Amino acid sequence: MTRSALALVPASVAIALTLTACGGGSDAKTADGKGPITVTANDTSCELDRTQAPAGTIEFTVSNKGTKVNEFYVYAAGDRIVGEVENIAPGLSRTFHVEVAEPGTYETACKPGMVGKGIRHDFTVTGASAAPKTDDAKLRAATASYARFVGSQSDALLARTTEFVGLVKAGKVDEAKALYPVARSYWERIEPVAESFGELDPKIDGRADVVDEGMKFTGYHRLEQDLWVNGLQADSSAIADQLLADVTTIVAEAKKVEFNGLQLANGSKALLDEMATGKITGEEERYSHTDLWDFAANWEGSKGAIAALRPVLQERNPELVASYDKRAAALDALVTKHQKGDGYQLYTELTPVEVRALSDALDAVAEDVSKVAGVVAAA
Amino acid sequence: MSAPNEPAATRRSVLATGAGVAMAGAAAGLTYAGGTPRAAASQPTGPAAPPSSQKPVPFRGEHQAGIVTPAQDRMHFVALDVISKDAADLKLLLQEWTRAAERMTFGAEASPGGVVGGGPYRPPEDTGEALDLAPSNLTITIGYGPSLFDGRFGLAGRKPEALHDLPGFRGDDLDPARTGGDLCIQACADDPQVAVHAIRNLIRIGFGVISVRWSQLGFGRTSSTSTSQVTARNLFGFKDGTANIKAEDGQALDSHVWVDPSDVPGGASWMAGGSYLVARRIRMHIEVWDRTSLQEQEDIFGRDKAVGAPLSQPVDQRDEFAPLDFHAKGADGSPRIPLTSHVRLAHESQLGGIRILRRGYNFTDGTDGSGHLDAGLFFLAFVRDAHKQFVPMQQALAKSDKLNEYIEHNGSALFACPPGLGDGQDWGVQLFGA
C-alpha cells in the first residue's frame, strides 16, 4: 500500500530531497516551522516559501499572480491527490488546509490553465505519524463476520443442492423446478467467493456457451435446460451427481477462505456488477426466467458484505453510509414489489419500465458501493 | 467555482474527503466552500471568429455556449429523467454539473486529478478517455423539459408559460423511447470523443438522481451558425440552413432566439436570456431518396444541389446566398420555386416573419432491420418561443412539404435552456432560486 511505502522512506532520503527542492525552488525556508506556507503561482512558475512541514494539518495560501486560472495540488506517490484547491482566478489567493498524517516525500504542483502535469516540486512531511490509530479490531471483526456469513450460506447451498440433485435423479421435475431457484440463491449470495475457484465455477454455473470454449455443458444451467426445455435426459442423473460433487468441493474450499477488508469491498461491488450485466438483462436464467431470485440473492450477498464493514465505514465516512442506506432502501423496496408467493416474479413478467426502475436503483447504489474499497484502503 | 453560496461542499468532494480521512484531505471538501469568483472572461453577446481547438469556448457569459457558438462538427445529446424525488438532490447535482461542465469545457478533467488522483482503490472520478485531448471547442448546454416543472421538485411556480409539450404534427411517428425528458444536455465538440466524454461523465455524476431516457449522436453538423462557416449538407446531399440566423446578426437573435424578460414575468424570470430548444429526430429514407431524379430532388428543396442557389436564379448565375424570388416563373408558367418546396414553405415570407436558429446534426444509428441504414437528421432549433415559431413552421411543412415522402419524425422534445451563468453562479441556484 502506498501509505506504508511512504512511511518507510528513511529520514536521510527525505532531507536530501528537501535540499534538492530548495535548490530548484525559490528562497525556501529550511525551518520546519508552523503557520501557512505561501505559494506564489505564475503561468510558468510555482514557488513555495517552505517545502517541508510537520505531519498533521498543513495550511497553504496560494496566490495566483499569473494570467491563467490555476490549481494547486499536494500529491503522494503515484499522483494520488492528498489535497487540492481548484479554480484560483488570476489575481486572487486562496487558503486551504490539507491533512497529511504520514511523514515522507510528497509533491506539490501548480497547474496553470488547469491541465497537464503541472509545475512540480518535492515536499517533505516531517515528524511522527499523526494518523489516528487504525482500528484493526473493527476490520478484523468485519472480516470475521463476513466469513460467518459465507459459512452459513455455503452450508445451506450444500444442503439445498443435495435436495435438488435428489429430486432430479428421482425424476420429480416439478419439485426440482420449484427448488432450483431457491438452491441457486445461496450460490448467488456468495458468487464472488465461489468464482474465485476458477476451474469449478464454469462447471457449476457455466451457461451453454461454455461449449464454445471446448468444455462440456454441465452444472445448474444444464439441469435448468433439461427441466424447462428438453426434459430429463439420459445423462441428467450423472450431471446431477457431478454438480453435487463440485458443490461439495467448492463449499469446503469457500469455508477455508480468509478475507481482508478490500476483498469484502470488492466482493460487494462484484455482486452488483453481476446484477447489472447478467441478471437485469435476463440472460442468466434463460430457460427458467428465475433471474429475479438471483438478482435478489446477489443483492443480499452485497448487503451482507457491506453490513460486515459497516462499523468501519460508519466511523470513516458516515456521509457515504447515509447515502448508501437511502439508495439501498430504494432498491429493497423495488425488489419487494416483485415478490410473488415465496419467491419472485419471472423475468418475462417484468415490463420494460419495471426493468429500468430496477436498473436505475441498482446504478445508484453501485455508485456508492464502488467507493467502499477506497474507504477501506485508506486505513 | 460552482456553488459559492453553498456552505456544504459538493457531494463528490464530501465523499472523497470522507474516504481519505485517515490520511488525506479535508482539503478537498473545503475547496469549494470558499466562494471565489471564477476568472473566465464573460462571453460577449456574439462570439468572435471561431476559436481554435486549443482555445476553450468560454463557459460563462450572457447566454449559454452551444447556441450561437459556431456549430462544431460533432454532437452527443442526451435526454434524462430525474428519478430522485428530492429537490435538494437535483439542486446539488446541477451544482456539481456546473463545476464539471466548466472544467471539461476548459479541457480539464471532470474533477481535479479525476483520472488517477484518487489512488488505486477508488474508481476514478473522471473516466479518462479525453485526458490528452484538446478542449476541441467543447460546449455543454443544459435544458429543462416541461415535465420537470410538474410539482415533484417545487418548481411549478417557476415554469415558463411557453414551456409546454409540442402538439402532434401530421405524419409524426413518435417513439416514446425517443421523446420528451425532464432535462437535456447537449455536448458539441470538434472531436467526438470529447463530446461523448462530457456526456458520459455528467451522467455518471448523476447516478441515483437521473437516468438516461434517450441519447443521440450526431456525426456531422448540418447547420452553420456563423458567417465564418460554410453551409453544411444534410444526408440528402443538400446545403441545409443557408438562410439560418447567424451569430453575427444580433438583432435577429434578440427577436427570434433569446427569450426577452417581458416573455417570462414572475416566477419564470430565470429564463430571460435563455432559449427554447426543439429536438426532432428525423429519419430519412435515404435509399428511396437516392433513387429520385436530380430534377425532382431540386424541386423538393427549391434549391439547386451543387451550390444551394434558389431555383429562381438563372442557371448561369447561381449563388447560394441570392434572395429567393418566389414569383419567378419558368417557361411553362409554373413557379421556379415550386409551391410545395421545402424552402418556400419554411421561408419567413410565407410564415409571417418567423425565423429559427437551426443547429442540427446528421446521424446514422445502425440499421432499421430491413436492409437499410437508420439515418437522418437530428434537427435542433433554438427559438424564443417554440409554439409561436417552430409549431406554425412545422404545421406548414407537415401539411404540404414534398419532402415528407422521404422523412418521418420519430423523436421529439422541447427544453427550456436557461441563460448563461455569470461569475460565481451555478445551474442549481439559477433554476431553484437562492
Side-chain angles (χ1 to χ4, degrees):
Chain A
M1 210 180 294
T2 316
R3 185 171 145 258
S4 26
L6 280 174
L8 291 174
V9 173
S12 57
V13 173
I15 289 164
L17 287 169
T18 308
L19 290 174
T20 310
C22 292
S26 62
D27 57 339
K29 298 170 197 166
T30 47
D32 192 9
K34 300 223 170 200
I37 294 171
T38 302
V39 182
T40 307
N42 230 309
D43 291 353
T44 53
S45 67
C46 178
E47 295 175 0
L48 280 69
D49 74 343
R50 211 162 72 235
T51 55
Q52 62 172 283
T57 304
I58 305 173
E59 183 177 345
F60 291 91
T61 299
V62 186
S63 300
N64 184 359
K65 308 281 191 196
T67 62
K68 297 178 178 174
V69 177
N70 218 314
E71 299 180 324
F72 181 76
Y73 291 76
V74 179
Y75 289 111
D79 279 1
R80 188 176 56 77
I81 295 173
V82 181
E84 50 85 13
V85 57
E86 58 186 299
N87 233 329
I88 312 167
L92 294 178
S93 59
R94 299 271 293 274
T95 296
F96 81 111
H97 298 87
V98 53
E99 294 295 329
V100 187
E102 292 296 333
T105 304
Y106 296 79
E107 273 189 313
T108 58
C110 294
K111 269 193 201 175
M114 297 160 74
V115 290
K117 276 188 73 72
I119 303 162
R120 302 282 183 118
H121 291 302
D122 285 335
F123 190 89
T124 306
V125 174
T126 59
S129 167
K133 279 242 157 70
T134 305
D135 198 345
D136 284 340
K138 279 205 174 81
L139 262 185
R140 273 202 307 275
T143 51
S145 153
Y146 187 67
R148 283 194 298 277
F149 175 77
V150 171
S152 69
Q153 296 301 313
S154 303
D155 288 340
L157 170 65
L158 185 55
R160 294 302 209 164
T161 303
T162 306
E163 229 178 294
F164 171 68
V165 162
L167 292 169
V168 169
K169 292 178 70 176
K172 296 181 176 172
V173 171
D174 288 340
E175 288 167 67
K177 284 164 81 166
L179 190 57
Y180 170 83
V182 179
R184 282 189 52 76
S185 297
Y186 299 100
W187 170 268
E188 294 291 340
R189 286 195 193 106
I190 58 168
E191 199 167 8
V193 179
E195 280 179 351
S196 64
F197 302 102
E199 292 191 354
L200 282 172
D201 174 56
K203 287 176 73 184
I204 296 172
D205 197 33
R207 303 177 212 162
D209 30 74
V210 297
V211 177
D212 298 338
E213 292 163 35
M215 292 180 62
K216 206 177 156 207
F217 181 30
T218 62
Y220 287 118
H221 293 304
R222 162 59 206 278
L223 294 176
E224 179 200 5
Q225 188 185 41
D226 291 353
L227 290 168
W228 268 272
V229 182
N230 296 336
L232 292 176
Q233 305 291 302
D235 64 345
S236 293
S237 284
I239 296 280
D241 283 335
Q242 186 60 49
L243 172 64
L244 185 55
D246 291 338
V247 167
T248 304
T249 308
I250 215 164
V251 160
E253 295 291 335
K255 291 171 84 169
K256 281 189 267 177
V257 176
E258 286 184 29
F259 301 98
N260 63 37
L262 267 183
Q263 287 169 321
L264 265 61
N266 291 330
S268 65
K269 180 179 164 294
L271 282 158
L272 301 181
D273 296 345
E274 284 281 339
M275 294 159 73
T277 56
K279 311 300 172 9
I280 198 67
T281 56
E283 63 188 72
E284 173 92 24
E285 307 290 355
R286 57 185 69 165
Y287 314 113
S288 65
H289 305 300
T290 54
D291 301 272
L292 270 188
W293 271 264
D294 297 0
F295 187 94
N298 281 160
W299 173 225
E300 285 156 14
S302 176
K303 283 193 290 187
I306 297 294
L309 285 168
R310 189 176 187 91
V312 179
L313 300 177
Q314 185 66 45
E315 181 179 276
R316 295 182 186 168
N317 193 334
E319 296 95 339
L320 180 61
V321 176
S323 175
Y324 170 83
D325 283 350
K326 188 172 148 188
R327 291 170 171 193
L331 182 54
D332 277 336
L334 282 179
V335 171
T336 306
K337 215 180 97 182
H338 296 296
Q339 278 177 349
K340 190 172 168 183
D342 293 335
Y344 294 90
Q345 286 176 286
L346 298 181
Y347 185 79
T348 44
E349 294 174 308
L350 298 179
T351 67
V353 171
E354 289 170 331
V355 171
R356 182 178 162 193
L358 285 166
S359 178
D360 283 343
L362 175 60
D363 278 337
V365 82
E367 275 296 312
D368 285 344
V369 170
S370 75
K371 298 187 172 92
V372 168
V375 179
V376 170
Chain B
M1 194 60 234
S2 58
N5 300 319
E6 284 294 301
T10 64
R11 183 179 61 205
R12 221 153 246 279
S13 53
V14 166
L15 292 176
T17 303
V21 79
M23 145 137 218
L30 294 171
T31 303
Y32 272 83
T36 311
R38 159 88 179 174
S42 292
Q43 188 184 11
T45 311
S52 81
S53 268
Q54 295 299 328
K55 196 163 173 274
V57 177
F59 177 76
R60 291 173 190 272
E62 185 182 351
H63 305 292
Q64 284 198 74
I67 301 174
V68 299
T69 308
Q72 301 93 326
D73 292 333
R74 326 284 177 190
M75 178 216 63
H76 189 186
F77 190 100
V78 68
L80 305 162
D81 287 332
V82 183
I83 56 168
S84 169
K85 296 176 177 70
D86 190 347
D89 283 352
L90 177 58
K91 184 177 174 188
L92 181 58
L93 174 61
L94 290 170
Q95 292 173 326
E96 291 179 338
W97 273 351
T98 310
R99 173 210 195 200
E102 182 166 23
R103 292 185 58 87
M104 291 191 286
T105 301
F106 213 87
E109 294 152 283
S111 69
V115 178
V116 299
Y121 300 108
R122 291 176 210 168
E125 289 193 357
D126 181 296
T127 55
E129 69 271 30
L131 189 57
D132 309 310
L133 302 178
S136 306
N137 288 320
L138 174 67
T139 58
I140 296 170
T141 312
I142 197 164
Y144 308 118
S147 53
L148 193 68
F149 298 84
D150 60 6
R152 279 174 295 165
F153 308 107
L155 291 170
R158 296 174 73 80
K159 181 176 183 170
E161 204 185 315
L163 183 63
H164 56 93
D165 286 332
L166 299 172
F169 299 98
R170 190 187 292 188
D172 274 4
D173 183 21
L174 300 185
D175 176 354
R178 286 175 165 146
T179 297
D182 286 338
L183 35 87
C184 76
I185 304 170
Q186 171 196 272
C188 299
D190 292 331
D191 184 328
Q193 181 115 327
V194 168
V196 170
H197 169 264
I199 293 292
R200 176 183 176 190
N201 280 268
L202 294 173
I203 291 170
R204 171 138 190 263
I205 291 170
F207 274 124
V209 183
I210 50 91
S211 161
V212 175
R213 185 178 177 90
W214 53 270
S215 162
Q216 184 68 54
L217 277 176
F219 69 80
R221 69 179 174 93
T222 63
S223 298
S224 51
T225 54
S226 166
T227 53
S228 64
Q229 295 184 294
V230 298
T231 312
R233 291 178 188 267
N234 60 33
L235 290 184
F236 286 151
F238 278 77
K239 288 195 174 181
D240 206 345
T242 293
N244 206 10
I245 302 175
K246 302 293 200 305
E248 292 78 5
D249 191 353
Q251 203 172 345
L253 293 174
D254 287 339
S255 306
H256 303 291
V257 178
W258 306 127
V259 173
D260 190 80
S262 63
D263 301 338
V264 282
S269 61
W270 59 272
M271 184 57 186
S275 189
Y276 294 94
L277 185 167
V278 177
R280 305 279 292 182
R281 188 179 189 276
I282 304 174
R283 165 81 194 277
M284 291 174 161
H285 295 289
I286 52 175
E287 296 81 1
V288 181
W289 175 262
D290 295 345
R291 293 193 282 265
T292 305
S293 73
L294 177 62
Q295 175 77 61
E296 189 175 347
Q297 291 185 6
E298 293 188 333
D299 282 346
I300 287 170
F301 270 95
R303 290 183 182 273
D304 91 312
K305 197 163 190 174
V307 300
L311 292 183
S312 50
Q313 290 280 106
V315 176
D316 56 348
Q317 294 173 29
R318 288 201 159 157
D319 167 14
E320 180 190 350
F321 296 101
L324 296 145
D325 179 357
F326 294 115
H327 303 294
K329 296 219 163 49
D332 61 354
S334 62
R336 283 183 183 273
I337 299 178
L339 297 175
T340 53
S341 66
H342 188 72
V343 71
R344 179 187 286 265
L345 292 166
H347 195 262
E348 57 178 306
S349 65
Q350 313 296 308
L351 292 167
I354 288 172
R355 296 180 71 190
I356 62 174
L357 186 148
R358 299 179 54 179
R359 211 174 190 285
Y361 285 85
N362 294 322
F363 70 83
T364 62
D365 288 347
T367 82
D368 66 356
S370 306
H372 307 133
L373 293 175
D374 178 6
L377 169 68
F378 187 62
F379 171 98
L380 291 171
F382 289 91
V383 292
R384 182 173 162 184
D385 185 334
H387 293 276
K388 291 178 182 161
Q389 294 166 260
F390 174 75
V391 170
M393 181 181 290
Q394 182 55 27
Q395 280 167 341
L397 291 171
K399 188 172 158 212
S400 312
D401 193 353
K402 279 277 280 178
L403 205 49
N404 292 336
E405 291 176 27
Y406 303 93
I407 61 175
E408 70 205 6
H409 290 232
N410 59 18
S412 176
L414 174 67
F415 299 99
C417 300
L421 295 172
D423 288 348
Q425 295 179 333
D426 67 72
W427 284 325
V429 173
Q430 182 186 51
L431 178 63
F432 281 92

